[in-house]
């Protein structure tokens, strides 16, 4: 969970699994590819706001990615991969830039 939640909060969620005794595993983020496209668009908006350059790479810490983009490193890498395949960004050794 990448934000503070408290008992009684009402948030949209996604059912990951229905277990025995009708217990549910719930995720607050979309599962699989459904989360990648919104994350990619969030990165594009962030890049645009920062002048087209983001000083992140594969060596960036999960904490720094979360602090700036509020997403896990895993989701960040999926979104970056999608943007790279779409030829919307360039991945440099120490940064990501808009094309």
């Amino acid at each position: 969970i990448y934000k503070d939640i408290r008992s009684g909060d009402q948030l949209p969620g996604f059912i990951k699994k229905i277990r025995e005794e009708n217990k549910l595993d719930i995720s607050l983020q979309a599962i699989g590819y459904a989360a990648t496209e919104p994350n990619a668009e969030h990165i594009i908006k962030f890049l645009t706001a920062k002048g087209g350059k983001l000083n992140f790479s594969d060596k960036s810490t999960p904490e720094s990615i979360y602090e700036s983009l509020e997403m896990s490193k895993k989701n960040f890498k999926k979104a970056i991969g999608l943007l790279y395949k779409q030829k919307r960004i360039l991945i440099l050794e120490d940064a990501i830039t808009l094309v």
Side-chain angles (χ1 to χ4, degrees), residues 17-37:
K17 183 178 180 181
I18 300 174
R19 295 187 283 142
E20 292 180 22
E21 301 177 15
N22 290 326
K23 292 184 178 184
L24 301 174
D25 290 343
I26 305 287
S27 173
L28 295 178
Q29 297 176 338
I31 300 163
Y33 184 78
T36 304
E37 186 64 35

Side-chain angles (χ1 to χ4, degrees), residues 3 6 8 37 90:
K3 58 182 167 182
R6 299 188 193 315
E37 186 64 35
L90 292 175

